[in-house]
Amino acid sequence: MSEITQKPVFSKKTGFSADLLWTMGPIILALLLTTLALVAIGADPLKAYTTLWNGAFGSPEKLGSVIDAWVPLVFCSVGLLVTFTAGLWNIGIEGQIVMGAIGAAWVARTFDLPAEILIALMFIGGALGGAAWALLAGALKVYGRVHEIFGGLGLNFVAMGVTLYLIIGPWKRAGIASTSGTEPFRPAAWLLNFPGLTVGPVEIILAIISLALIYFALRGTLWGLQLKAIGKNARSAFWLGIPTSRHMLGAFAVCGVFAGLAGAEQASGVWARLIPAISGGYGYLAILVVLLSGFRAPLVPFVAFFFAAVSKGSISLPLDLQVDSALGGVLQGVVVLLFVLSQGVRAKWTQTLSS
Amino acid sequence: MRLELKHIHKHFGAVHANDDISIAVESGTIHGLLGENGAGKSTLMKILSGFIHRDAGEILLDGRAVAFKNPAEAIRAGVGMLHQDPLDFPPLTVLDNFLFGREDGFMQNRAGALADLQRFSRQFGFDLDPDALVSSLTVGERQQLEIMRLLSLGAKILIFDEPTTGISLPQKIKLFETLRLLAKQGMTIIFVTHKLQDAEDLCGKVTVLRLGKMTGQVTHPFTADQLVRLMFGQSLETRARASVALGEPILELRDICVADYRLRVPEINLQVRAGQVIGLAGIEGSGQRLLLRACAGLDQPVAGDIWISGARMNRQPYRDFLERGVAYLPAGRLEEGLVPGLNLTEHFILARRSREFFIDWRAAQDAAQSRIGEYSIRGVPASRVEALSGGNQQRALLALLQPNLNLILLEHPTRGLDIESTMWVWSQLLARRQRGAAIVFASADLDEIFEYSDRILVFSGGRVARALNAQETSVQQLGELIGGKGL
Ligand SMILES: Nc1ncnc2c1ncn2[C@@H]1O[C@H](COP(=O)(O)OP(=O)(O)OP(=O)(O)O)[C@@H](O)[C@H]1O
Ligand SMILES: [Mg+2]
């Protein structure tokens, strides 16, 4: 309580540009620290970064693969903006992506329809799959009093299990049961891609629309304000007459919808089938994206792009440099840690400024 | 320890919360700090105890200048503060909270702490279960815990920011005895209050603040009228109460039993009619809060029936109570009423309970501005609620109530408010009563109970006495009932 009552009232110095500054600072510092780590293990930092850069932007295909990662990151971040606003840690987002992919795969395998209709249905199936799985985590929290972090983690494992079961069981490839994935979907279920890439215009536009939609919904609607109140003090929110349980379930469901869209997009656009690790870890990564964005929607596309570039760029590190590709993960992790740290410093700094 | 504050200044944005305040307090004395809501009392005390930093000025302890970076440094130097809003950790137990700040080294000395806790409890006659969760305690009980914790940390200068607002008359008498004893032992005590009576009873010297400035310093003996004029710049007059014709029964309790894990209050029967005011008296934590929350639909009674305007409301959701015009004003303003982090405009939007989907921020801001004026809240539409002073938080809570209410349930409606605000709050409540609302309120302040109740329900030791007619009851009688005599 002391922390809440003593929090300074921030002055107007918290505009978009100040936010950008306070976000870039930790990134630069993280690069410095990673450089030190590289020097320590005897690698040439300059070469490592060039490799990283080229791995991400060296060719149109590589840039394509970065955007390929950017799309699911944005979808998931959009969903997480909603749950974070309501004060919920939706760690279960990974499982929700998986369930979205399964929903889409089921549609693709079940219906023989023209491409436009089939793909639309796949996205709807994905959204429903993700939402259902998220609602399960929500119900565990609201009715079962299971903290969403534990419920979500458990459900992630279950979702993985379900995928594996489907891939080597009912949906196995004719003749061979291989953990590499199901039979490819019929071509009508393939999302239109740019030539030579695994990403196309539909999902990019959909991701941008999703982000804009949630940005305005959280800012300008009663629903968004009510979620914010719940996130800051659920007891007071309930006292004010806000149906807190229903809103929490709703926040989970909305997040699940966007996670499901990410899953459907991965299944349809990238793999054209269901594979075991269909979530690609984008859910967990998106948690970092949202943290680093300071829960601000306008920063999400940039931060997501940075994370996508580092992820994809680091893939070529081991080939060229004998540096493990985990370097990308290290960089991402250090950035987020430093950012969270800088938020603390910033709060203190603003406090001394105002007094 | 002799304490001197010299020319203290503090700004919060445009607000000059402390404007050149100088106070000297000799050891072994009790110094009163008086002032209306928002006068800057808490700010000054937070500066002294290291919670916030001053803009200018000096603090001298026994003539030595000090500058505390944080409350831990202050307490090490012997300055301890009991805050207006208890600063404890509700999810932990009483004993855990008591352990905070103790320097036992790495290992906690739980047995030693427990012994200390029990010793202090005996000394004050506080009745706290060491294993109870703090979240289950009343505000008053949490203040008791904090008093004991500070004493155990060895504070030499003790700051009490409105300590009497949360505790009952017998507890207050005990607290005053203890304060006098502590002063006799050489402690320096600063006592922040709105209550003139408390200042008169306890303080040898009183400093009065008004709008951040010092308006005067008086030494015993002084008169209440003198203090009021220093506080408000004018004298206040109490108005006579208008009589109200009673209407339909609004609330009916039939053999209600309320309980939590440590208390069970059976067989509460009560009928409240429109226009009636019921006061719930008794030592805090005797079941008043449980009953209010049950009537509000926030907790379920263990047994019995609740009827509101002729409808049986058992096991109905809270929203149905709201729809029937029931409102409950909790005591924990920032914990269970207001949302820290949101500003006044946002609160008014949330309380509006309209069905509109999009928010018209400009209109909302204008509406908030006029509501702030109407309820004389010292703040602006963009003020976050946690930055308001205690009295203004209470005004904000009142401003959140719906315009047409049938039943208003209040827990300590004027706790922490100065006389002017208290009178204002009650004028609001009585105006609502005039319009047909029934009012049930719990208060630890017997004067308040007597002044505003038509009937009084006394809670004591797990029982409730038959409702008394306020006109026919004497203070003596009420005191005995609260103490458990004749129940
Ligand atoms: N953290 C803060 N940020 C901004 N303004 C503040 C802050 N704390 C206090 N103020 C302002 O400073 C003024 C003095 O507040 P303070 O809490 O000291 O009053 P008080 O005398 O203790 O009143 P009360 O009797 O209502 O508790 C008020 O106008 C208040 O709004
Ligand atoms: Mg105060």
Side-chain angles (χ1 to χ4, degrees), chain B residues 37-38 40-43 84 161-162 192 194 389-391:
Chain B
N37 293 130
K41 308 179 294 292
S42 295
T43 302
Q84 198 169 353
D161 197 355
E162 299 184 28
V192 180
H194 295 123
S389 79

Side-chain angles (χ1 to χ4, degrees), chain B residues 262-393:
Chain B
R262 53 171 195 153
L263 179 71
R264 194 182 163 84
V265 189
E267 281 169 52
I268 307 174
N269 286 288
L270 182 69
Q271 196 196 54
V272 190
R273 295 168 64 183
Q276 225 171 9
V277 181
I278 310 290
L280 308 183
I283 294 180
E284 203 176 341
S286 307
Q288 302 94 316
R289 175 181 164 85
L290 294 176
L291 181 64
L292 287 174
R293 288 179 61 88
C295 294
L298 285 164
D299 286 335
Q300 296 296 336
V302 180
D305 291 331
I306 294 183
W307 294 74
I308 288 173
S309 307
R312 190 164 167 271
M313 296 298 285
N314 294 38
R315 314 230 153 255
Q316 297 300 312
Y318 174 59
R319 282 185 76 85
D320 287 7
F321 283 76
L322 291 179
E323 246 133 60
R324 292 194 165 263
V326 178
Y328 164 68
L329 232 66
R333 292 167 197 144
L334 287 178
E335 292 94 46
E336 44 187 350
L338 302 172
V339 184
L342 297 191
N343 62 33
L344 285 171
T345 307
E346 290 170 321
H347 276 85
F348 292 135
I349 295 172
L350 289 171
R352 216 162 44 189
R353 225 175 295 147
S354 68
R355 301 255 173 270
E356 68 179 317
F357 188 69
F358 292 102
I359 297 172
D360 180 350
W361 285 105
R362 173 133 339 137
Q365 187 141 337
D366 293 345
Q369 186 65 62
S370 73
R371 193 79 68 95
I372 285 169
E374 203 180 316
Y375 286 82
S376 340
I377 301 168
R378 211 162 278 162
V380 294
S383 303
R384 296 208 187 163
V385 289
E386 70 270 26
L388 300 177
S389 79
N392 285 305
Q393 285 170 5

Side-chain angles (χ1 to χ4, degrees), chain A residues 40-70:
Chain A
I41 60 166
D44 179 353
L46 203 65
K47 226 163 142 193
Y49 288 129
T50 330
T51 314
L52 204 74
W53 180 269
N54 289 334
F57 310 116
S59 68
E61 289 75 31
K62 291 200 163 137
L63 181 61
S65 81
V66 170
I67 296 175
D68 201 23
W70 180 82

Side-chain angles (χ1 to χ4, degrees), chain A residues 1-2 4-6 9 219-222 225-226 228-229 232-233 235-236 238-243 355, chain B residues 10 46 55 86 88 90 298 318-319 328 330 334-340 342 346 356-359 361:
Chain A
M1 240 157 299
S2 64
I4 289 168
T5 44
Q6 297 305 319
V9 190
R219 251 172 84 98
T221 69
L222 190 60
L225 183 57
Q226 289 179 331
K228 195 169 153 192
K232 292 193 183 288
N233 185 344
R235 273 180 83 174
S236 292
F238 184 77
W239 176 80
L240 280 162
I242 300 170
S355 63
Chain B
K10 177 73 190 176
K46 283 179 187 169
D55 295 345
D88 47 22
L298 285 164
Y318 174 59
R319 282 185 76 85
Y328 164 68
L334 287 178
E335 292 94 46
E336 44 187 350
L338 302 172
V339 184
L342 297 191
E346 290 170 321
E356 68 179 317
F357 188 69
F358 292 102
I359 297 172
W361 285 105

